[in-house]
Amino acid sequence: MDLSNLNNNQKVAVEKIGLPVLVFAGAGSGKTRVLTYKIAYLINEIGLPPENILAVTFTNKAAQEMKTRVFELVDKDISNINIGTFHSISAHILRKEIHLLSYANSFTIYDQQDSRSLVKKVMKNLNLDLKQIEPKSIQARISNAKNSLQSVDYFKDINDNFSDKKFYEIYGAYQEELKNSDALDFDDLLVLPLKLFKEFPDRLEKYQDKFQYVLVDEYQDTNKPQFEFIYSLSSLHKNIFVVGDDDQSIYGWRGADISNILNFKEAFGESHIEKLEQNYRSTNNILQAAWSVVSKNTNRSEKKLWTENGSGELINLIESFDDRHEAKQIYNLVLKFKNNLNNIAILYRTNSQSRIIEDRLRIGGIPYQIVGGVKFYDRKEIKDIIAYIRFLVNNNDSISFDRIINFPPRGIGKTSIDKINEFYSTNSDSYLDLSNCIDNISVGPKQKLALNDFLSLIKKHKSKIDSNKGSDIVKTMISDLKLEHYYMKQKTDESIDRWNNIQEFLNGIEEYEINNPESNLVEYLEEISLLTDIDKWNDSENKVTLMTVHSSKGLEFDNIVIAGLEDGLFPIVRAFEDDNIEEERRLFYVALTRAKKVVNISYAKSRRQFGGAPMMTTKSRFIKEIPEEIMNVNLISNSGSSNFDNFKNSNFKKYSSLKSTSNDSIIINTLVEHKVFGKGKVLKIEGVGENSKLTIKFYNNVVKKLILKYANLTIIKG
């Protein structure tokens, strides 16, 4: 096999066989090339059958690119090779084996929206106030628990306060409802294979034998369940090859554990470690800026990227009066690339920053696309159709039932739905069985008739699942529901758009069936439920791309703008101490290394947050960590400084802190405790006196805005 396209370090990594291999692959150092050549080498030179290879990554886009590249390098049929995301590979295993855990093999996968709906549902069933305990924070805490492999039983004896007791109840009821609905959330896809392997060792042996060589992309982003999954499959034969970069570990907030890559030898024993430090993407000035920041971290493996691409342009620093001025300056910068807009990306730390930039681009007629906005499959009309399909294949799916039982409107209101669900939970194994006992449900005659018509419709189309194409079933069902008439009679632009979206959705099913002739509706649902924001991103259109830094990982652009480089925003204020500064540095490193040619970093001297008054800001410490000699500084003019000083003198002081005559003054960074939300840290204070509005970050990164006089806070000393 010809390896002449590889440099020496890449070649060593590809050819090393017989022991675990860890490749530290810096940004732009050819990580995907090494992975794909390794897979091709295993097939071409070692003679390993493609079906015995498992390669996992984090996005469908990366998995598809890997497959395409391997296909170009190998002459053999690789249709049976196992390349996919952690979630898709796990889902594939569970489709075959989950009946052993007493779930239906046609289980539904709940997305975040569905998961939150289920949390709300169980909280209502437990008679809990959704205003006192926020479902969003409960959902996040459940996700964190699963990513830490903490089952419901783990929380049984953790009942220090009201919040912990209620969380245990909600978590337990949530899992029970998922099981009753034959549904999994995203985290279950990672957790349940481990449960399967533990309870059925013969299944583990089966997959250890099947996956004789395991490769992992972006290994630094693995969390505890993902590590356990990989370790379980490869611990016997230890044929494992992982590629990653600890300097790009940016998902600690969702459970990623950087120690997985830093402690690789401790986990897998004697290993070979290779470092890829030659960068093929960026200029030397970009790499120098990135290294100057990330090298301040102590928890990292020492390495320094180098390139033959030359010094390139200096890092441009843009200073603005406020966020509006920043948006205007970014717009002026974008104008220079009007004919090549797809070569520029605007990155920001939080999604909320995009609005003001979007407004300026829209006013100026600059086309743009947002990665991470409302996804096509999250639109209401599409979610409604998906819910119908999910209910067709899984008649226990309570969230889908609740969504579609009165859509289009059938005269079945919330009270009737509650009564139907109450009867179902105690008297029936399937919603479809309700048609046999409708007379016993305590709803009105009109509602009984509507329920019966609905169930008859579902039964009619369910009977065709094994004989008809999925697209034909969905088309006929949409026709029977008279959805075209429902939307078109409204005669609004919005309703017409919704109907057009449904037409596009149908085109999507047909396209999927063309590419996957043996597929069914269950597999189609799985495909769309595991799509990520980046999978639908189109880099060929002449549009500026706007996205968070997290979303940009793995991408590259000629030119980038990083907006909002202010302390408290980037790096962002987190939890109670500055213990996440290392991950924030890594995030900035990722942002810088997306650029091939030019980097523009921008900050504003004041910024509005949470719809409040402008707040004074401080230039990000990351800017100060970049050597001055590689920066081109574009400061605001002296003529504008006086305006800024006037703002500072007249407004800033009254928003910066709240002073009290008592010794218990509440200022920014004060630690407090709330009866319901627990311990937290004051991030911001707006106004003065007892009517001040406090922004407080509580346990599990839940942010609340409270009026001081009603908050009843206790200050934590020390």
Side-chain angles (χ1 to χ4, degrees):
M1 180 177 173
D2 183 12
L3 302 180
S4 60
N5 284 335
L6 305 180
N7 65 35
N8 288 338
N9 298 95
Q10 293 171 337
K11 189 168 180 286
V12 169
V14 167
E15 293 181 324
K16 184 63 67 174
I17 297 292
L19 74 169
V21 177
L22 162 62
V23 180
F24 279 112
S29 64
K31 168 178 65 71
T32 305
R33 169 171 288 190
V34 168
L35 264 171
T36 51
Y37 266 82
K38 183 73 174 187
I39 295 171
Y41 187 82
L42 290 170
I43 297 170
N44 290 339
E45 301 298 323
I46 305 303
L48 196 62
E51 61 267 25
N52 293 134
I53 295 173
L54 171 65
V56 288
T57 185
F58 280 83
T59 67
N60 295 300
K61 191 179 182 72
Q64 189 55 51
E65 183 181 353
M66 215 182 295
K67 283 181 187 175
T68 302
R69 291 207 200 179
V70 172
F71 179 78
E72 292 169 353
L73 294 170
V74 176
D75 293 332
K76 300 176 183 175
D77 177 14
I78 63 165
S79 58
N80 290 328
I81 198 167
N82 306 282
I83 298 178
T85 65
F86 277 96
H87 288 90
S88 66
I89 295 295
S90 295
H92 187 67
I93 291 173
L94 291 173
R95 286 286 174 212
K96 296 179 179 179
E97 313 286 358
I98 202 170
H99 60 277
L100 296 171
L101 300 177
S102 302
Y103 286 82
N105 283 23
S106 58
F107 62 82
T108 298
I109 300 173
Y110 281 175
D111 62 19
Q112 264 201 322
Q113 218 178 99
D114 303 318
S115 173
R116 193 168 302 163
S117 296
L118 187 60
V119 169
K120 290 178 182 176
K121 184 173 183 176
V122 299
M123 287 178 66
K124 287 177 182 176
N125 291 343
L126 292 169
N127 296 316
L128 296 173
D129 186 348
L130 272 62
K131 292 179 181 177
Q132 267 203 327
I133 306 175
E134 193 175 34
K136 184 179 179 180
S137 66
I138 292 293
Q139 180 191 30
R141 192 172 176 187
I142 289 174
S143 180
N144 288 343
K146 291 184 180 184
N147 285 326
S148 301
L149 293 180
Q150 296 168 344
S151 66
V152 175
D153 288 342
Y154 175 87
F155 294 91
K156 188 173 184 179
D157 298 320
I158 301 178
N159 52 11
D160 296 339
N161 54 47
F162 174 83
S163 178
D164 288 337
K165 289 177 183 176
K166 293 304 167 190
F167 176 73
Y168 169 67
E169 288 182 40
I170 298 167
Y171 189 7
Y174 173 82
Q175 284 304 112
E176 187 177 345
E177 190 66 36
L178 278 174
K179 187 84 177 283
N180 292 338
S181 298
D182 281 320
L184 312 183
D185 61 23
F186 282 158
D187 300 309
D188 286 329
L189 289 174
L190 302 178
V191 172
L192 288 183
L194 303 179
K195 181 178 172 67
L196 176 76
F197 294 160
K198 184 177 180 181
E199 295 184 9
F200 299 91
D202 62 312
R203 298 296 86 188
L204 174 58
E205 290 176 17
K206 169 187 171 181
Y207 289 102
Q208 285 176 331
D209 185 56
K210 177 178 174 62
F211 302 133
Q212 293 176 21
Y213 206 101
V214 177
L215 304 98
V216 187
D217 187 17
E218 305 284 12
Y219 187 66
Q220 77 282 347
D221 290 332
T222 52
N223 61 18
K224 193 169 184 178
Q226 288 161 338
F227 168 78
E228 292 293 342
F229 179 72
I230 291 301
Y231 185 80
S232 297
L233 293 174
S234 60
S235 59
L236 190 63
H237 51 64
K238 294 195 175 178
N239 290 326
I240 182 166
F241 181 91
V242 307
V243 180
D245 181 8
D246 53 311
D247 286 337
Q248 296 185 73
S249 179
I250 59 173
Y251 293 107
W253 52 275
R254 70 180 188 197
D257 188 352
I258 193 173
S259 68
N260 289 344
I261 192 168
L262 295 177
N263 299 334
F264 181 80
K265 272 190 174 181
E266 284 79 349
F268 292 98
E270 183 186 354
S271 309
H272 176 80
I273 296 179
E274 195 70 32
K275 292 184 180 180
L276 306 183
E277 296 175 292
Q278 182 175 1
N279 175 281
Y280 295 93
R281 176 189 300 155
S282 307
T283 65
N284 193 58
N285 282 335
I286 293 171
L287 297 181
Q288 179 63 27
W291 181 82
S292 296
V293 176
V294 82
S295 62
K296 300 289 190 297
N297 283 352
T298 56
N299 193 27
R300 67 185 292 268
S301 172
E302 183 51 46
K303 56 196 163 304
K304 186 174 182 180
L305 296 179
W306 60 276
T307 185
E308 296 178 347
N309 293 341
S311 297
E313 293 194 26
L314 299 176
I315 308 298
N316 295 311
L317 175 63
I318 303 168
E319 180 184 84
S320 304
F321 297 127
D322 56 22
D323 44 356
R324 293 180 184 279
H325 185 215
E326 179 186 53
K328 184 177 180 181
Q329 297 213 76
I330 290 173
Y331 165 76
N332 289 336
L333 189 69
V334 169
L335 280 178
K336 299 176 184 177
F337 303 93
K338 199 161 186 179
N339 296 323
N340 296 288
L341 294 175
N342 56 329
N343 287 334
I344 186 167
I346 302 169
L347 310 182
Y348 33 79
R349 181 62 183 82
T350 64
N351 277 307
S352 61
Q353 290 170 253
S354 74
R355 184 198 61 79
I356 198 166
I357 299 172
E358 282 183 71
D359 287 348
R360 194 65 194 80
L361 294 176
R362 195 183 301 115
I363 291 169
I366 298 292
Y368 64 90
Q369 57 182 328
I370 294 183
V371 175
V374 177
K375 293 183 285 188
F376 179 77
Y377 294 101
D378 284 345
R379 298 176 190 274
K380 181 195 178 301
E381 62 275 16
I382 304 303
K383 290 281 286 183
D384 290 336
I385 303 301
I386 290 173
Y388 266 102
I389 302 173
R390 291 197 324 195
F391 194 70
L392 273 182
V393 300
N394 175 9
N395 307 136
N396 294 325
D397 185 348
S398 64
I399 294 300
S400 293
F401 175 82
D402 288 354
R403 185 178 189 102
I404 61 177
I405 182 57
N406 197 42
F407 177 81
R410 298 183 176 90
I412 302 178
K414 184 179 177 303
T415 302
S416 295
I417 295 173
D418 289 342
K419 288 179 179 178
I420 294 168
N421 277 320
E422 184 180 351
F423 183 87
Y424 160 74
S425 64
T426 55
N427 296 280
S428 183
D429 293 328
S430 165
Y431 277 105
L432 293 192
D433 294 341
L434 294 178
S435 59
N436 301 321
C437 47
I438 282 182
D439 290 340
N440 298 326
I441 304 174
S442 57
V443 295
K446 181 182 175 183
Q447 286 73 30
K448 287 179 181 178
L449 181 61
L451 175 61
N452 189 61
D453 289 346
F454 167 78
L455 295 175
S456 298
L457 175 83
I458 298 298
K459 286 180 179 179
K460 170 188 171 182
H461 295 290
K462 185 177 180 64
S463 66
K464 301 174 184 175
I465 284 181
D466 294 329
S467 57
N468 292 26
K469 282 202 309 182
S471 57
D472 291 340
I473 294 171
V474 178
K475 278 182 185 176
T476 308
M477 184 170 63
I478 288 174
S479 176
D480 287 352
L481 290 168
K482 297 181 173 57
L483 286 186
E484 182 176 10
H485 175 70
Y486 170 76
Y487 283 115
M488 300 309 281
K489 74 176 181 180
Q490 296 174 40
K491 296 180 180 177
T492 65
D493 290 342
E494 182 185 14
S495 64
I496 294 170
D497 284 344
R498 290 187 187 280
W499 174 245
N500 289 336
N501 286 337
I502 290 174
Q503 296 293 99
E504 180 60 30
F505 176 79
L506 290 171
N507 293 338
I509 299 181
E510 291 178 338
E511 184 179 333
Y512 177 78
E513 289 174 340
I514 291 170
N515 295 328
N516 303 273
E518 303 300 317
S519 65
N520 56 34
L521 283 175
V522 173
E523 291 165 333
Y524 174 70
L525 287 173
E526 184 176 304
E527 170 85 5
I528 62 175
S529 67
L530 297 179
L531 286 174
T532 61
D533 291 332
I534 206 65
D535 293 324
K536 288 294 182 181
W537 172 65
N538 186 347
D539 60 353
S540 62
E541 295 185 34
N542 188 37
K543 294 181 178 180
V544 182
T545 298
L546 278 66
M547 65 176 84
T548 64
V549 181
H550 282 99
S551 295
S552 73
K553 185 137 170 292
L555 305 180
E556 57 182 39
F557 299 87
D558 284 351
N559 311 279
I560 65 161
V561 180
I562 311 172
L565 272 166
E566 299 128 31
D567 268 355
L569 184 57
F570 199 178
I572 203 165
V573 173
R574 279 186 176 277
F576 303 121
E577 289 91 29
D578 217 11
D579 58 351
N580 283 294
I581 190 63
E582 294 212 348
E583 180 156 319
E584 290 291 303
R585 273 202 190 93
R586 294 193 291 268
L587 191 59
F588 186 51
Y589 172 88
V590 166
L592 289 170
T593 54
R594 297 314 90 204
K596 296 181 186 179
K597 298 177 181 177
V598 181
V599 170
N600 304 275
I601 55 180
S602 169
Y603 75 98
K605 288 197 166 188
S606 72
R607 187 174 297 275
R608 293 176 185 269
Q609 292 184 355
F610 307 111
M615 303 288 290
M616 286 278 290
T617 62
T618 304
K619 181 165 62 175
S620 173
R621 69 194 77 178
F622 296 157
I623 295 175
K624 301 168 189 173
E625 291 173 354
I626 298 174
E628 290 183 6
E629 61 268 21
I630 63 170
M631 291 184 68
N632 175 34
V633 181
N634 176 24
L635 298 178
I636 51 181
S637 64
N638 291 332
S639 61
S641 299
S642 59
N643 293 333
F644 183 75
D645 290 338
N646 289 338
F647 159 77
K648 176 177 67 175
N649 294 330
S650 62
N651 291 307
F652 174 59
K653 290 182 181 178
K654 71 177 182 179
Y655 292 108
S656 63
S657 68
L658 170 67
K659 297 296 183 182
S660 167
T661 55
S662 75
N663 292 328
D664 291 340
S665 300
I666 292 182
I667 59 174
I668 290 174
N669 293 332
T670 296
L671 299 184
V672 296
E673 184 161 13
H674 187 275
K675 286 185 176 180
V676 174
F677 305 119
K679 295 177 181 177
K681 180 181 181 181
V682 177
L683 303 185
K684 190 170 71 167
I685 300 166
E686 299 171 76
V688 293
E690 63 179 4
N691 291 315
S692 297
K693 185 186 294 182
L694 310 184
T695 301
I696 305 173
K697 181 167 280 190
F698 290 98
Y699 174 82
N700 206 27
N701 285 344
V702 174
V703 176
K704 289 287 182 183
K705 288 182 138 187
L706 304 172
I707 304 298
L708 178 60
K709 68 180 177 183
Y710 302 120
N712 197 17
L713 299 170
T714 302
I715 293 178
I716 301 171
K717 298 291 186 182

